[in-house]
Amino acid sequence: MEKKQFQAESKRLLEMMINSIYTQKEIFLRELISNASDAIDKIYYKALTDDKLVFDKDSYYIKVIPDKNRRTLTILDTGIGMIKEELETNLGVIAKSGSLAFKKENELKDGHDIIGQFGVGFYSAFMVADVVTVISKALGSDSAYKWESAGADGYTVEPCDKETVGTEIILKIKENTEDESYDEFLEVYRLKAIIKKYSDFIRYPIKMDVTSKRLKEGSDNEFEDYTEEQRINSMVPIWRKNKNELTDEDYEKFYAEKHYGFDKPIKHIHISADGAVVYQAILFIPENIPFDYYTKEYEKGLELYSNGVLIMNKCSDLLPDYFSFVKGMVDSESLSLNISREMLQHDRQLKLIAKNIESKIKSQLLSLLKDEREKYERFYKSFGRQLKFGVYSDYGSHKEVLQDLILFYSSKEKKTVTLEEYVSRMPEDQKYIYYASGPSNERIEKLPQTELVAEKGYEILYFTDDIDEFAVKMLMKYKDKEFKSVSSGDLGIEAEDNKDNDDADKNDHKELFDYMKGLLEGKVTSVKASKRLKSHPVCLSTEGDMTIEMEKILNAMPNNPNVKADKVLEINIHHEVFQSLKTAYEQDKEKLNLYTALLYNQALLIEGLPIQDPVEFTNDICKIMV
């Protein structure tokens, strides 16, 4: 029998396809099953125009048969089959696609699309097989033919016996090597897992003979093995069903089956888009945070299918980072795939899908916030931090998308509120959105810096996340209202009628404050009379954009940039402590030095900042006591 050479292709090209195009060997089964599905589809399309041909879907299937003894894996289908010329044309010319030609000839437009495009998938079989044998009998033909090849050296085609229409692909599985185990492709459990992963939603049954155990007839404790034919794939994907047919339980079951999480999703989004790009999607907003969510190991992304066949397990391009908590899948027939069907050739379609998905997620979250506040707050407890990171990232370019989704604890409401809710309650005379930063709501409540703002009756937002201040620095404004820290040098609410008195106090005490500043050289930029303090004797405020809380966060990072906020020591000149300062300045400079150190360290402790010399601080306290 004459061996024929692959037309117009070299041994190097075949080696490249086997060794370079596919990233995982298990892909071969996806490709061969997809080809088998194409073959059945072709009978379906023939039946549309041939009255003599009746397409009974129940008669068509794909079967996967492992044989450990012969070391073969067979994939058979009841599809259209191939005549001798088609075997030579489709399998003898690498990258010749019979499916693509059929697609073009028949101008398929009914949504029942053929999967195969490139004709390269068949050759992925050589990744796991030494010899590939194809036995095929075409629809309407009395003859069957066998195509066989051991790789780039060529192939043979000869007549053979086959009773039924369809194709059998028999792979002689390679022997194990030191680096690779090929035995896995003869194990039923492994083959089932690959089918479920990539081909679960092929529209025809994929069958396997599965061995199980059962009680022997008439016995209470003896078991026997028996073999039954099982359908492995689900066939009809949930996303192609009518939404009206599905219940919350159906979506939750799908969420669990796909191992998207161990919790129940708070909400699902079912999309069927038919426009510039056609796709279906089911997205889930989880309730609980994955254990690795805020680590480098976490991988974002949605499962990406093309016509029901899994292409990518985690397509990160479909989700922006700030919505990386979303789980789910997308299926589209509009994608331009590369030759291996593992990656996209270009991303125009993907960008359109991603943009639409982002809009759908935002709409769902806004709806949840408006209509199911308790659920939203549960979600926000897990993922609010990520939304705020999204506001801050990329120089604030996403703030318009996210600003209405973020929440902060309110001094007045004693619960989390939106920026919209805060602004809607602002008195007419209030210029700014005020906030205070600290490690907890309880600690912030006691900060001296909040006294003046609270006395005016203004609401204060509490920032307890390390990202909060950085996020609002990017926001800058919300509905034309600027954000203002209660520790800011200028709160914008100091009483105008006290301005003359304040200036007089400033001049009267200038020498004292300059002396104290000299004692604290390098620690504060100035010492001044406070306009914000009412009952507390001292506090720190800041000048410029860098706040004390931001300083703490940045210096806690591994690379510690050692940044410093420009701190101002504010003294309450109406507090009795100030009288002690004035007396000491006039009569006992050594005592003033002691008081200044104590007040500065007291202000540091209030802010949660470390004292430079704790021993000296405790000694200073002892000096006061004796």
Side-chain angles (χ1 to χ4, degrees):
M1 180 173 43
E2 181 187 357
K3 180 177 281 189
K4 299 186 179 183
Q5 297 299 309
F6 288 110
Q7 295 177 24
E9 304 294 339
S10 66
K11 181 179 180 180
R12 172 68 187 134
L13 179 55
L14 187 56
E15 287 175 351
M16 183 186 73
M17 286 193 300
I18 295 168
N19 299 319
S20 303
I21 289 180
Y22 296 97
T23 56
Q24 294 176 296
K25 287 183 168 55
E26 64 185 31
I27 294 292
F28 84 91
L29 191 55
R30 178 193 76 180
E31 295 298 305
L32 296 182
I33 287 173
S34 295
N35 289 347
S37 176
D38 288 349
I40 299 173
D41 279 339
K42 288 173 184 176
I43 291 186
Y44 167 78
Y45 284 110
K46 289 282 186 189
L48 293 178
T49 55
D50 188 344
D51 295 337
K52 297 176 184 176
L53 185 59
V54 178
F55 185 82
D56 178 10
K57 191 172 182 179
D58 294 335
S59 302
Y60 297 95
Y61 61 88
I62 300 160
K63 189 164 185 181
V64 178
I65 308 165
D67 187 330
K68 288 184 180 179
N69 295 327
R70 294 173 55 211
R71 204 168 179 80
T72 61
L73 178 65
T74 301
I75 296 92
L76 67 82
D77 65 66
T78 56
I80 199 165
M82 289 177 279
I83 60 175
K84 181 182 179 183
E85 288 74 18
E86 287 174 321
L87 280 169
E88 293 194 11
T89 302
N90 293 342
L91 304 186
V93 180
I94 296 175
K96 173 78 173 181
S97 173
S99 293
L100 184 59
F102 188 92
K103 204 170 176 181
K104 288 178 178 177
E105 288 168 11
N106 290 273
E107 295 185 3
L108 309 181
K109 293 178 181 176
D110 71 340
H112 202 84
D113 202 10
I114 283 181
I115 299 165
Q117 294 181 48
F118 302 107
V120 173
F122 169 78
Y123 298 95
S124 63
F126 287 103
M127 290 193 295
V128 299
D130 289 323
V131 179
V132 178
T133 303
V134 180
I135 298 172
S136 192
K137 183 177 183 180
L139 181 68
S141 174
D142 295 327
S143 304
Y145 290 89
K146 180 173 78 170
W147 181 100
E148 190 167 87
S149 174
D153 289 342
Y155 62 92
T156 59
V157 180
E158 60 180 326
C160 67
D161 294 325
K162 188 178 190 309
E163 293 184 6
T164 57
V165 170
T167 300
E168 293 179 31
I169 300 176
I170 304 159
L171 311 182
K172 181 70 174 176
I173 300 297
K174 293 178 180 181
E175 297 293 335
N176 294 337
T177 66
E178 288 185 11
D179 299 324
E180 299 283 354
S181 173
Y182 294 94
D183 287 353
E184 62 176 313
F185 302 119
L186 296 168
E187 297 288 349
V188 170
Y189 78 91
R190 178 73 175 111
L191 295 169
K192 284 174 67 176
I194 297 171
I195 292 167
K196 290 294 288 182
K197 179 178 180 181
Y198 294 103
S199 308
D200 198 31
F201 304 112
I202 292 290
R203 53 183 151 265
Y204 305 107
I206 303 171
K207 302 178 180 181
M208 285 186 75
D209 290 333
V210 178
T211 301
S212 305
K213 289 188 178 295
R214 64 185 173 193
L215 278 171
K216 278 188 177 180
E217 193 172 343
S219 172
D220 293 331
N221 55 12
E222 283 189 77
F223 291 85
E224 62 181 358
D225 290 337
Y226 76 101
T227 300
E228 63 175 350
E229 189 177 73
Q230 290 183 0
R231 191 190 82 200
I232 307 302
N233 60 324
S234 303
M235 291 176 59
V236 181
I238 184 174
W239 58 85
R240 287 185 183 159
K241 293 181 179 178
N242 193 311
K243 297 176 194 177
N244 298 330
E245 301 172 17
L246 299 166
T247 64
D248 287 343
E249 288 72 25
D250 291 324
Y251 291 107
E252 287 171 9
K253 183 181 177 185
F254 180 71
Y255 183 86
E257 286 174 350
K258 298 300 288 180
H259 305 293
Y260 291 144
F262 296 105
D263 58 342
K264 281 188 178 181
I266 278 186
K267 215 69 179 173
H268 66 262
I269 308 168
H270 192 157
I271 307 169
S272 295
D274 189 5
V277 61
V278 177
Y279 75 96
Q280 293 87 36
I282 296 181
L283 311 175
F284 295 96
I285 299 170
E287 178 174 0
N288 297 332
I289 189 167
F291 72 94
D292 62 344
Y293 185 67
Y294 287 112
T295 69
K296 289 187 292 186
E297 285 69 36
Y298 181 80
E299 281 187 86
K300 70 163 182 170
L302 303 175
E303 291 182 324
L304 181 62
Y305 292 80
S306 178
N307 287 302
V309 177
L310 181 66
I311 302 303
M312 294 176 72
N313 200 40
K314 295 270 189 181
C315 184
S316 60
D317 291 339
L318 286 169
L319 287 176
D321 285 345
Y322 43 87
F323 290 155
S324 60
F325 48 81
V326 173
K327 303 289 185 181
M329 51 66 56
V330 172
D331 186 10
S332 177
E333 62 189 49
S334 303
L335 301 174
S336 299
L337 303 177
N338 73 351
I339 201 167
S340 69
R341 289 198 285 195
E342 287 186 276
M343 290 174 285
L344 305 172
Q345 280 185 303
H346 53 83
D347 60 359
R348 187 181 65 84
Q349 302 103 324
L350 206 65
K351 283 180 177 177
L352 286 172
I353 295 173
K355 188 174 178 60
N356 189 257
I357 283 174
E358 179 191 54
S359 174
K360 296 285 186 183
I361 294 170
K362 181 185 175 181
S363 295
Q364 182 65 76
L365 289 174
L366 285 173
S367 174
L368 197 64
L369 174 60
K370 180 184 175 185
D371 302 326
E372 299 177 82
R373 183 62 171 254
E374 186 181 337
K375 274 189 179 181
Y376 186 83
E377 288 178 0
R378 290 208 312 272
F379 149 78
Y380 194 82
K381 190 175 180 181
S382 294
F383 302 107
R385 180 184 171 93
Q386 188 66 14
L387 298 182
K388 288 181 281 192
F389 269 118
V391 172
Y392 173 72
S393 65
D394 298 328
Y395 304 100
S397 59
H398 313 295
K399 62 186 181 183
E400 298 294 332
V401 176
L402 300 169
Q403 61 185 4
D404 289 317
L405 296 173
I406 56 179
L407 303 176
F408 298 105
Y409 185 84
S410 161
S411 63
K412 272 194 173 180
E413 298 296 310
K414 305 301 180 187
K415 62 181 182 180
T416 54
V417 300
T418 65
L419 295 176
E420 165 65 34
E421 289 164 346
Y422 180 100
V423 170
S424 70
R425 291 193 290 268
M426 285 175 62
E428 281 188 25
D429 64 338
Q430 185 178 341
K431 301 176 187 176
Y432 302 106
I433 299 171
Y434 291 102
Y435 67 87
S437 300
S440 67
N441 294 335
E442 294 73 25
R443 287 279 294 275
I444 294 172
E445 196 101 39
K446 297 173 183 176
L447 286 176
Q449 293 91 329
T450 63
E451 285 189 309
L452 180 60
V453 179
E455 186 182 70
K456 290 285 288 184
Y458 297 159
E459 190 171 358
I460 303 170
L461 298 178
Y462 289 1
F463 288 3
T464 54
D465 260 349
D466 53 9
I467 188 62
D468 288 346
E469 279 201 90
F470 295 93
V472 298
K473 291 291 183 189
M474 284 298 174
L475 274 179
M476 293 188 290
K477 293 181 180 181
Y478 181 81
K479 296 200 170 176
D480 293 327
K481 297 292 184 181
E482 290 183 29
F483 291 89
K484 178 77 76 174
S485 169
V486 296
S487 298
S488 173
D490 177 16
L491 291 173
I493 55 175
E494 293 80 1
E496 286 294 322
D497 53 2
N498 287 331
K499 187 175 185 303
D500 293 338
N501 291 335
D502 289 339
D503 289 342
D505 288 335
K506 182 178 179 182
N507 293 327
D508 287 347
H509 311 307
K510 185 178 186 304
E511 289 183 4
L512 168 59
F513 291 149
D514 284 346
Y515 181 85
M516 294 175 71
K517 178 189 173 185
L519 295 175
L520 299 172
E521 188 69 40
K523 297 176 180 177
V524 298
T525 57
S526 67
V527 179
K528 70 177 185 179
S530 179
K531 299 176 184 178
R532 80 188 74 227
L533 292 174
K534 298 297 176 183
S535 62
H536 292 81
V538 68
C539 75
L540 288 173
S541 62
T542 56
E543 294 175 342
D545 290 335
M546 178 70 67
T547 67
I548 291 171
E549 202 63 29
M550 293 170 78
E551 174 191 306
K552 288 192 285 185
I553 292 163
L554 290 171
N555 290 333
M557 292 179 175
N559 58 348
N560 191 346
N562 197 28
V563 296
K564 298 291 181 186
D566 291 331
K567 302 179 188 69
V568 175
L569 187 68
E570 295 197 9
I571 306 294
N572 184 354
I573 60 174
H574 304 294
H575 195 281
E576 56 191 352
V577 162
F578 184 65
Q579 297 305 315
S580 299
L581 285 174
K582 286 203 299 181
T583 302
Y585 179 65
E586 293 166 1
Q587 301 175 7
D588 188 346
K589 291 290 196 300
E590 189 175 335
K591 187 172 281 189
L592 179 60
N593 297 350
L594 176 63
Y595 289 167
T596 301
L598 281 169
L599 285 172
Y600 173 68
N601 284 324
Q602 182 182 337
L604 289 177
L605 287 172
I606 290 169
E607 291 297 332
L609 289 169
I611 293 174
Q612 190 171 4
D613 190 341
V615 174
E616 183 182 17
F617 176 61
T618 55
N619 289 337
D620 286 345
I621 292 174
C622 290
K623 287 176 186 176
I624 292 291
M625 294 175 69
V626 298

